[in-house]
Amino acid sequence: MTLFHIFLVAVIQGITEFLPISSSGHLILLPKLTGMADQGLVIDVAVHVGTLFAVILYFWSDVRGALLGLPRALSGRADTPGARLALLLLIATIPVVVCGLLLKLSGYDENMRSITVIGWTTIIFGLLLYWSDQIGRRQKTTQEWNITDAIIIGLWQAIALIPGTSRSGITITGARFLGYRRQEAARISMLMSIPTIAASGILLGAEAALEAESTVLISAATAAAFAFLAALAALSLMMRLLQSVSFTPYVIYRLVLGVILLGIAYS
């Protein structure tokens, strides 16, 4: 891979990982528009690691509390804010891990990676995000996040295993339907991404280790750095904009992207 190719893949993944616009749709579109080859598993793992460090840094205060509270949560004592957050994140991650393993073992995960599927899911779940963002009054905060809501949003997150759905988009959708404010819904979604991306990275990393070479590892480190910077910038911008802007611009963008993908699929 050329440095420019690595840069493109990393920046696209970094920006789209946390914005509710589907990273898979963009990564499918990239080779179609440029003729570039697939980046490979090692680079996939690297850019995921980069985005993981970005969200950890941005929400370090919450992450630190959850890490310190994890031993208490595992022992069944969620009696501190950190332990409570750790427990809720663990509960919310279970559905996507279980469903992801089942899909991987069945082989259906590869069957869903078509431009047609991604085009339709980009549009359908974009409209669902718009609906959830518009109806009713939402006042709930992360302090009100509870086990029931963690299970429900965790089930929403499992839907993101369908390419084009957008993990951040579908979890924000679920949180908005449950009554959480825009910034709070995004915050819950971003915190949920940490164990999810980590679990995915471990699974992909085990496979990537088989094809790792010294030259590939240098490219991977470069990709991780680019993805980290892009993800941190995108995350910071989105959280700041949500103070005054709805999710409608992202929905419009998804509709345009979905139409482009379907145009390619049916041409």
Side-chain angles (χ1 to χ4, degrees):
M1 293 178 67
T2 64
L3 181 61
F4 179 66
H5 189 182
I6 293 171
F7 174 79
L8 270 184
V9 171
V11 170
I12 290 172
Q13 176 66 33
I15 292 175
T16 59
E17 179 66 41
F18 300 120
L19 299 184
I21 54 177
S22 173
S23 59
S24 57
H26 290 79
L27 291 177
I28 284 289
L29 194 57
L30 177 63
K32 289 291 181 181
L33 294 179
T34 64
M36 292 178 173
D38 184 87
Q39 64 271 14
L41 190 57
V42 174
I43 301 299
D44 273 344
V45 174
V47 294
H48 276 82
V49 170
T51 56
L52 176 62
F53 278 110
V55 72
I56 288 175
L57 177 62
Y58 190 86
F59 290 103
W60 175 242
S61 177
D62 293 308
V63 173
R64 181 176 180 275
L67 288 174
L68 292 175
L70 183 59
R72 299 182 72 86
L74 293 175
S75 66
R77 295 177 297 160
D79 52 358
T80 66
R84 177 176 168 275
L85 178 59
L87 177 63
L88 293 175
L89 289 175
L90 288 173
I91 291 171
T93 306
I94 291 172
V96 72
V97 170
V98 172
C99 293
L101 285 174
L102 290 175
L103 274 176
K104 190 71 177 176
L105 293 173
S106 67
Y108 283 115
D109 57 329
E110 291 298 326
N111 296 333
M112 293 190 295
R113 294 185 61 84
S114 71
I115 296 180
T116 305
V117 169
I118 293 173
W120 282 115
T121 52
T122 298
I123 292 172
I124 292 170
F125 290 109
L127 292 173
L128 192 62
L129 173 62
Y130 178 79
W131 182 27
S132 72
D133 194 40
Q134 295 299 313
I135 62 171
R137 294 183 62 188
R138 269 59 62 90
Q139 298 299 326
K140 293 170 72 174
T141 67
T142 48
Q143 284 70 39
E144 298 173 79
W145 197 29
N146 54 51
I147 291 177
T148 300
D149 286 358
I151 293 172
I152 293 172
I153 301 176
L155 291 171
W156 278 98
Q157 182 171 240
I159 300 174
L161 292 168
I162 305 172
T165 301
S166 169
R167 193 214 59 82
S168 61
I170 200 65
T171 49
I172 289 172
T173 297
R176 290 293 281 161
F177 274 132
L178 288 172
Y180 290 89
R181 300 172 184 171
R182 285 194 182 103
Q183 279 187 303
E184 302 298 302
R187 185 175 182 174
I188 289 172
S189 172
M190 299 307 112
L191 289 173
M192 284 176 59
S193 75
I194 295 172
T196 302
I197 295 174
S200 173
I202 291 171
L203 181 63
L204 292 174
E207 297 181 42
L210 299 175
E211 61 179 72
E213 299 174 3
S214 58
T215 53
V216 176
L217 291 178
I218 294 172
S219 297
T222 305
F226 283 143
F228 169 80
L229 294 173
L232 190 60
L235 183 54
S236 301
L237 180 62
M238 183 184 74
M239 296 302 292
R240 189 160 53 247
L241 286 176
L242 286 179
Q243 297 177 23
S244 56
V245 180
S246 71
F247 289 107
T248 301
Y250 303 109
V251 173
I252 294 172
Y253 182 85
R254 286 183 67 124
L255 296 180
V256 173
L257 176 63
V259 168
I260 293 173
L261 289 170
L262 290 179
I264 294 173
Y266 291 116
S267 63

